[in-house]
């Protein structure tokens, strides 16, 4: 019997979370899609794996018996696939670097230059990830390292991070917005504003950019959902809502009809380099070193 590994990953996520919404966020898919995958797996195996009710999800006896073996299968496959990717990258002397939005801001080209001095015989391929995946392709094995903005979803515990820099969170809004004329916006003024949000599948990353930790339970109004920088800017320019962003957005994405303003009393955003904990290649460590050395040098200059 052939079983899609994707279905097995979905089963493990639900079995570990015992909650379809959290499992879907962890997998970066919608909850209906996850439910269909579990039903497809149960039909394929001709076994009931989960007991569902309106209040809880539990494993059946068959589900409990299946879970340890499925974990081993997925771990073995991930190890084999990872080794194959790493071997191919090493043979081609290519490091795949994923990134979100503007990566490490102005430090990005300097990081790449530092890495080039450490590894002059290697080339770097940069890949921008859609906002549905805050790990920038790292969790799925599409890249070797990534420049990300924390927090990452709780699921990828196999990912390690090193914070490189912090920057204030500002608010992005249409130039005609009533708050656009203020030099500084108080977060309390944004509580009843519609927000442009990243996809719900991004989990805690979406929560961070909606500033749920500063709302004291005040509900969020979603004016639009976006998955790319272009969609994001278009939604803001059309006044579908406001959006929190890093202060560097004002420098990297200037656009007529859109303004960026500081926010009073809100925690900053952190930019980090991320890599898989199981990837012990020296070239990955060298890229992390290039990041930390570049940041340290920039701090010395400042």
């Amino acid at each position: 019997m052939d079983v899609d590994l994707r279905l097995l990953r979905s089963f493990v996520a639900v079995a570990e979370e015992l909650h379809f919404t959290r499992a879907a966020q962890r997998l970066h898919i919608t909850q209906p899609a996850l439910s269909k995958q579990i039903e497809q797996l149960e039909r394929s195996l001709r076994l009931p794996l989960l007991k569902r009710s309106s209040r809880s999800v539990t494993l059946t006896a068959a589900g409990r018996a299946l879970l340890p073996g499925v974990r081993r299968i997925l771990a073995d496959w991930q190890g084999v696939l990872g080794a194959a990717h790493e071997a191919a990258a090493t043979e081609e002397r290519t490091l795949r670097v994923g990134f979100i939005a503007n990566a490490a801001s102005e430090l990005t080209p300097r990081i790449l230059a530092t890495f080039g001095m450490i590894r002059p015989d290697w080339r770097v391929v940069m890949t921008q990830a859609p906002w549905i995946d805050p790990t920038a392709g790292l969790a799925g094995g599409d890249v070797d390292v990534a420049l990300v903005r924390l927090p990452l979803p709780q699921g990828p515990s196999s990912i390690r991070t090193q914070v490189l820099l912090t920057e204030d969170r500002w608010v992005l809004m249409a130039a005609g917005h009533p708050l656009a004329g203020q030099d500084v916006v108080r977060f309390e003024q944004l509580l009843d504003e519609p927000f442009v949000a990243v996809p719900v599948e991004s989990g805690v990353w979406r929560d961070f950019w909606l500033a749920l930790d500063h709302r004291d339970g005040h509900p969020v109004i979603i004016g639009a959902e976006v998955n790319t920088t272009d969609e994001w800017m278009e939604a803001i320019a059309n006044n579908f809502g406001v959006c929190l962003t890093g202060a560097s957005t004002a420098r990297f994405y200037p656009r007529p009809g859109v303004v960026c303003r500081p926010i009073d009393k809100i925690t900053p955003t952190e930019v980090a380099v991320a890599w898989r904990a199981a990837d012990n290649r020296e070239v990955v460590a060298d890229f992390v070193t290039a990041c930390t050395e570049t940041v340290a040098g920039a701090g010395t200059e400042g």
Side-chain angles (χ1 to χ4, degrees):
M1 176 186 298
D2 294 329
V3 177
D4 190 338
L5 291 178
R6 177 175 51 96
L7 304 183
L8 297 182
R9 291 190 188 95
S10 295
F11 166 65
V12 170
V14 176
E16 291 178 349
E17 299 290 345
L18 294 178
H19 194 282
F20 270 82
T21 299
R22 289 196 299 268
Q25 291 173 349
R26 170 173 158 179
L27 295 165
H28 311 304
I29 61 175
T30 64
Q31 185 175 333
L34 176 59
S35 296
K36 289 180 181 179
Q37 289 177 8
I38 295 299
E39 291 169 2
Q40 183 180 346
L41 179 62
E42 289 178 321
R43 287 196 305 270
S44 178
L45 298 178
R46 298 181 182 177
L47 288 170
L49 303 176
L50 300 166
K51 295 179 182 177
R52 309 166 182 79
S53 73
S54 59
R55 295 185 177 180
S56 66
V57 177
T58 58
L59 287 167
T60 65
R64 290 193 299 272
L66 192 68
L67 182 59
V70 171
R71 282 180 173 142
R72 287 194 297 272
I73 290 170
L74 293 176
D76 289 345
W77 173 249
Q78 194 63 38
V80 169
L81 185 61
H85 278 304
E86 291 167 13
T90 300
E91 183 178 48
E92 298 170 359
R93 296 186 180 275
T94 298
L95 188 72
R96 303 166 301 163
V97 180
F99 67 98
I100 293 286
N102 58 328
S105 302
E106 288 90 348
L107 291 179
T108 305
R110 297 173 62 177
I111 289 170
L112 299 181
T114 302
F115 177 75
M117 289 187 287
I118 298 173
R119 292 274 182 167
D121 54 341
W122 279 64
R123 72 185 183 99
V124 172
V125 174
M126 299 285 290
T127 302
Q128 185 170 18
W131 291 353
I132 197 171
D133 179 13
T135 73
L138 196 59
D142 298 319
V143 299
D144 303 303
V145 291
L147 296 168
V148 300
R149 286 186 181 266
L150 302 180
L152 296 184
Q154 296 176 358
S157 58
S158 59
I159 293 177
R160 292 181 180 173
T161 60
Q162 173 67 52
V163 175
L164 301 177
L165 59 96
T166 63
E167 65 173 343
D168 291 337
R169 275 187 287 179
W170 287 22
V171 59
L172 195 68
M173 65 185 80
H177 193 281
L179 299 176
Q182 296 184 193
D183 292 332
V184 178
V185 176
R186 299 191 315 277
F187 183 73
E188 292 79 9
Q189 295 177 286
L190 301 175
L191 288 176
D192 293 317
E193 292 289 331
F195 267 65
V196 174
V198 298
V200 68
E201 292 85 355
S202 61
V204 295
W205 204 62
R206 171 185 168 110
D207 296 345
F208 177 79
W209 290 111
L210 293 174
L212 295 192
D213 54 333
H214 289 272
R215 288 180 171 272
D216 293 326
H218 198 95
V220 182
I221 302 170
I222 303 299
E225 286 194 356
V226 296
N227 199 34
T228 67
T229 301
D230 288 341
E231 291 177 2
W232 170 53
M233 277 293 179
E234 193 67 25
I236 296 295
N238 289 322
N239 205 23
F240 293 159
V242 302
C243 182
L244 301 188
T245 184
S248 59
T249 294
R251 303 190 302 274
F252 276 80
Y253 300 106
R255 172 170 174 162
V258 172
V259 298
C260 205
R261 296 287 182 261
I263 303 176
D264 186 30
K265 297 179 181 178
I266 191 170
T267 54
T269 172
E270 295 179 318
V271 176
V273 58
W275 67 98
R276 284 184 293 277
D279 191 344
N280 297 314
R281 289 179 296 162
E282 290 184 5
V283 67
V284 170
D286 286 343
F287 186 84
V288 175
T289 297
C291 290
T292 55
E293 287 185 353
T294 300
V295 170
T300 302
E301 293 172 9

